[in-house]
Amino acid sequence: MAIIEAEPYAFDLDPGRASLVIIDMQRDFLEPGGFGEALGNDVSLLRRTIAPTRCLLEEARAAGLTIIHTREGHRPDLADLPATKKARGRLAAGIGDPGPMGRILVRGEPGHDIIPELYPLPGEPVVDKPGKGAFHATDLDAMLKNRSVAQLIVCGVTTEVCVNTTVREANDRGYDCVVVADCVGSYFPEFHEMGLRMIKAQGGIFGWVATSEAVIAALQTAAL
Ligand code: TIU
């Protein structure tokens, strides 16, 4: 066990039962020309998460944590794309349509893939998810249970959308979640701030919030 200095109070990390879950660090959200930009967003706002997430990923790999990556996207035939999700935003170029990085949010297209800085190693599961939450219509819960994972250290984008949805899903399934403040990001700074406050309020109603520095310190202590 190791202690992560966190809010609203210290988190007892059990590295043998913890997973680093990196949510949707895809080119479609972090690079120009993808889905994020199609929605009218400035993708540069998310890019500050890359360097700290890379450091944490390397430490988590060294500590032997289960590493899981997720990607939001759809089958090439779009059979798993709700009509409502396709219609939302009345976008000129939306999900499934061609863009500078291939068909937007479609599996197998360049824009759908994970950014090179955080690319999964062979053996690290990648969960392809059609929704905002990583548990909806995926085998994530089964994979975590098969590995006896009970604690999730959560990074990724965006704070108030896929990160919050996933943490809420995980919380209801009995997982303890630590959201890493500098490794999650939003196109809206105020939503990022409130997204973190919503998680840790009321005694940690959905989980904990910590810095990557604090998580790395705990991982290094556990390794001693
Ligand atoms: N639009 C937005 O903020 N996010 C998403 O659509 N997906 C994720 O958060 N991954």
Side-chain angles (χ1 to χ4, degrees), residues 24 29 35 39 72 132 157-158 160-162 187:
D24 300 0
F29 294 112
F35 183 58
L39 292 171
E72 180 178 350
K132 303 305 181 193
V157 295
T158 60
E160 79 281 12
V161 182
C162 292
Y187 302 117

Side-chain angles (χ1 to χ4, degrees), residues 137-156:
T138 73
D139 49 11
L140 175 60
D141 194 45
M143 280 199 276
L144 295 171
K145 290 205 161 74
N146 289 340
R147 292 166 186 242
S148 300
V149 169
Q151 302 179 335
L152 308 184
I153 298 169
V154 183
C155 301

Side-chain angles (χ1 to χ4, degrees), residues 51-92:
T53 305
R54 170 138 191 159
C55 291
L56 180 54
L57 175 59
E58 284 169 6
E59 294 287 344
R61 282 172 175 157
L65 263 60
T66 294
I67 314 285
I68 292 183
H69 307 260
T70 75
R71 301 185 295 203
E72 180 178 350
H74 297 276
R75 295 161 47 105
D77 64 7
L78 304 183
D80 59 354
L81 175 61
T84 49
K85 187 175 179 182
K86 171 70 177 166
R88 197 73 53 78
R90 299 178 175 169
L91 304 172

